[in-house]
């Protein structure tokens, strides 16, 4: 029987599929009846792909490799014989591992050799270089194939102390004059497991000494995870406290802690963790990890919903998944809401124009030609006046586009590289951790200044767009739409979190004594990679907004122009042919009924897009996002 987390993930997957189906249904409607331009089509495509590829990341951090591996196996892979990741002698050498499902590739285990640490490339850079990785294909239908491939992740080798120093790996197990080091630096597991196919990604992080050697890994995990599970022994150790302070506490993820009651953790240990980590007591629990893992993998664990894994699953099911639903629903409201609203108002405009034309034709029926001519003259004058405003709109649109290009120029790849390299030479020239921190602080100050300039520029652009919307609403009675929102503050928050991580790392007494080149090349490069991603996301969000800022209004303007021209042409054709007026009225009545059905269809789509999330999934205290209009 599926556990609570599996059930909730399955519900979430079903909900997401229905959401995608509703968006696809709207896209089909647009293709049949709407006036979707290429930018709107791209926006819908991007949104659908984003929903289909959305992932929930669960990260496992802590000291004991055996306990972390056991929790991953028991929580996510209890249906597999012995779980997924290898346990037993040598599991302490398991490197940072990312477990997911990518349907575009055959299942595999892919590893990055430890020798790549001699290069200055970050892991993120190396991920884009397949030639540097070793790939082992596996058969997902064969437990033996999976076990054989995953066992290789525990491989280690003996090297000289000098070799370990060249790899900046000195805090590792020694055997005489040799140093035992992991064979691999990072691992990727692509497996079509049900939990992974539903959108989960599991992130295993090694112990604190390896995290110190790969700070980029810790920063990436903390920045990308939606859930961070800190696994402790019987008490909070200084090493675990350092990992929390340096990487976890500034993460936006939900934070949970599991203490091992099997090794002596008690209520006092839980209280100490709550106080030290500043997380709710409900997010801290104790259980005999080894016994609980063994029972779960043997399928003999108790079904008590308030203890052991059931409680851990319940916490994730009730906090993590509903929050993700709310975020996705908000994204749909932001991207599709204005388009559906614009489409609905376009149908309403056609409906009103059809009724108006029917009234005009009825009023001219049986009357002399002068009445029809007067009506035609009035409509043509109205249309010419509207065309002048459309021409003015096009000028404003061009001006907005030019301003947007100026904004994007500050986010261009070359510009980003210039910003990222701004203080690199000064950091490399600093001979003390304090000097490096001063330079890093200056670097992040520079980042923050640039992002704030972009935000201020974006506010002015948004005000200009809102003015255009208001102008057409007041002067021509177009529906009062709201331009799509542009929110970049989250990227500024990400930069502040990176700065806080840098401060904690550089001010830590252990790191002050760390060899300078290591700190520069590893930690700094990790910071730069995260900062680069933040700038790239800022650029993508800005580009996305600029492409669609006037989309809904432009659709209304073109629709009104088309309807006015149609009314003029119809009246011109019919003013000298009174016998065809009644036929035209019948045609318009058929059109009116069809438009009424289109409007009802769009109303149902709006309801589906806004109300798809089940009430039980709404997080406590969170308002449900809804489509505007």
């Amino acid at each position: 029987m599926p556990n609570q987390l599996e059930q909730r993930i399955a519900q979430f997957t079903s909900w997401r599929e229905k959401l995608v189906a509703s968006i696809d249904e709207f896209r089909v409607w647009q293709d049949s009846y709407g006036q979707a331009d290429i930018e709107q089509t791209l926006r819908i495509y991007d949104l659908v792909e984003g929903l289909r590829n959305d992932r929930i990341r669960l990260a496992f951090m802590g000291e004991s490799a055996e306990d972390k591996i056991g929790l991953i196996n028991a929580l996510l892979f209890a249906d597999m014989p012995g779980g997924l990741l290898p346990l037993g002698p040598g599991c302490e050498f398991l490197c940072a591992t990312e477990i997911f499902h990518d349907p575009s590739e055959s299942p595999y285990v892919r590893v990055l050799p430890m020798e790549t640490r001699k290069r200055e490339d970050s892991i993120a850079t190396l991920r884009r270089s397949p030639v540097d990785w070793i790939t082992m294909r596996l058969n997902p239908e064969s437990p033996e194939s999976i076990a054989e491939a995953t066992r290789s992740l525990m491989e280690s080798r003996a090297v000289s102390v000098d070799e370990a120093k060249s790899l900046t790996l000195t805090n590792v197990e020694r055997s005489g004059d040799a140093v035992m080091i992991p064979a691999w630096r990072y691992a990727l597991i692509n497996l079509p497991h049900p939990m992974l196919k539903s959108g989960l990604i599991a992130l295993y992080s090694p112990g604190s000494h390896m995290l110190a050697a790969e700070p980029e890994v810790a920063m990436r995990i903390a920045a990308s995870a939606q859930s961070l599970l800190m696994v402790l022994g019987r008490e909070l150790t200084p090493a675990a406290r350092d990992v929390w302070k340096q990487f976890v506490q500034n993460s936006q993820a939900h934070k949970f802690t599991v203490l091992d009651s099997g090794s002596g953790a008690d209520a006092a240990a839980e209280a100490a963790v709550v106080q030290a980590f500043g997380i709710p007591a409900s997010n801290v629990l104790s259980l005999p990890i080894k016994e609980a893992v063994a029972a779960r993998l043997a399928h003999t664990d108790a079904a008590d919903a308030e203890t052991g894994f059931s409680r851990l699953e319940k916490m994730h099911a009730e906090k993590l998944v509903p929050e993700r639903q709310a975020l996705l629903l908000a994204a749909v409201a932001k991207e599709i809401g204005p388009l559906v609203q614009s489409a609905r108002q376009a149908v309403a405009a056609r409906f009103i124009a059809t009724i108006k034309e029917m009234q005009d034709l009825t009023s001219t029926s049986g009357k002399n030609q002068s009445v029809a001519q007067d009506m035609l003259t009035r409509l043509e004058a109205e249309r010419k006046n509207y065309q002048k405003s459309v021409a003015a709109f096009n000028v404003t649109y061009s001006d907005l586009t030019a301003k947007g290009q100026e904004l994007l120029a500050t986010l261009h790849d070359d510009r980003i590289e210039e910003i990222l390299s701004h203080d690199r030479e000064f950091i490399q020239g600093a001979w003390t951790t304090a000097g490096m921190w001063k330079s890093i602080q200056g670097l992040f100050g520079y980042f923050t200044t640039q992002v704030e300039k972009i935000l201020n520029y974006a506010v002015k652009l948004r005000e200009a767009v809102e003015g255009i919307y208001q102008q057409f609403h007041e002067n021509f009675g177009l529906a009062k739409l709201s331009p799509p929102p542009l929110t970049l503050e989250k990227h500024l928050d990400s930069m502040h979190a990176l700065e806080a991580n840098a401060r904690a790392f550089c001010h830590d007494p252990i790191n002050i004594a760390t060899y300078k080149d290591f700190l520069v090349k590893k930690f700094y490069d990790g910071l730069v990679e995260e900062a680069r991603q933040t700038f790239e996301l800022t650029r993508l969000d800005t580009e996305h907004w600029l492409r669609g800022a006037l989309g809904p209004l432009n659709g209304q303007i073109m629709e009104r122009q088309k309807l006015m021209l149609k009314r003029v042409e119809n009246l011109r054709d019919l003013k000298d042919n009174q016998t065809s007026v009644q036929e035209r009225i019948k045609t318009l009545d058929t059109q009116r009924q069809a438009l009424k059905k289109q409007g009802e269809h769009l109303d149902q789509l709006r309801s589906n897009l806004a109300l798809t999330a089940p009430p039980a999934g709404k997080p406590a205290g969170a308002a449900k996002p809804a489509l505007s209009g």
Side-chain angles (χ1 to χ4, degrees), residues 395-412:
V395 172
T396 304
Y397 184 85
S398 298
D399 181 58
L400 177 67
T401 302
K403 290 180 179 178
Q405 292 306 315
E406 292 179 26
L407 175 59
L408 289 176
T410 68
L411 298 170
H412 192 271

Side-chain angles (χ1 to χ4, degrees), residues 210-271:
M210 284 305 300
L211 281 183
E214 295 283 12
E216 177 194 354
V217 171
M219 286 188 291
R220 178 58 57 89
I221 288 176
S224 65
Q226 281 80 50
S227 167
L228 272 169
L229 193 66
M230 194 75 174
V231 185
L232 306 175
R234 69 175 187 176
E235 60 186 0
L236 178 60
T237 65
R241 191 188 300 268
D242 288 341
V243 169
W244 183 276
K245 182 176 68 173
Q246 291 175 2
F247 304 113
V248 179
Q249 68 180 3
N250 295 310
S251 171
Q252 299 301 307
H254 286 284
K255 304 176 183 71
F256 304 93
T257 301
V258 175
L259 290 117
D260 185 14
S261 61
S263 63
D266 53 17
E270 289 189 22

Side-chain angles (χ1 to χ4, degrees), residues 2 9 53 155 204 354 449 469 621:
I9 289 293
N53 296 321
E155 291 179 2
Y204 169 85
T354 300
T449 299
Y469 274 82

Side-chain angles (χ1 to χ4, degrees), residues 545-565:
W545 180 77
L546 285 170
R547 287 201 304 264
L550 293 177
L553 176 61
N554 188 56
Q556 273 202 331
I557 290 172
M558 296 301 104
E559 179 70 19
R560 174 66 67 88
Q561 192 174 31
K562 178 181 176 181
L563 290 174
M564 293 177 73
L565 178 60

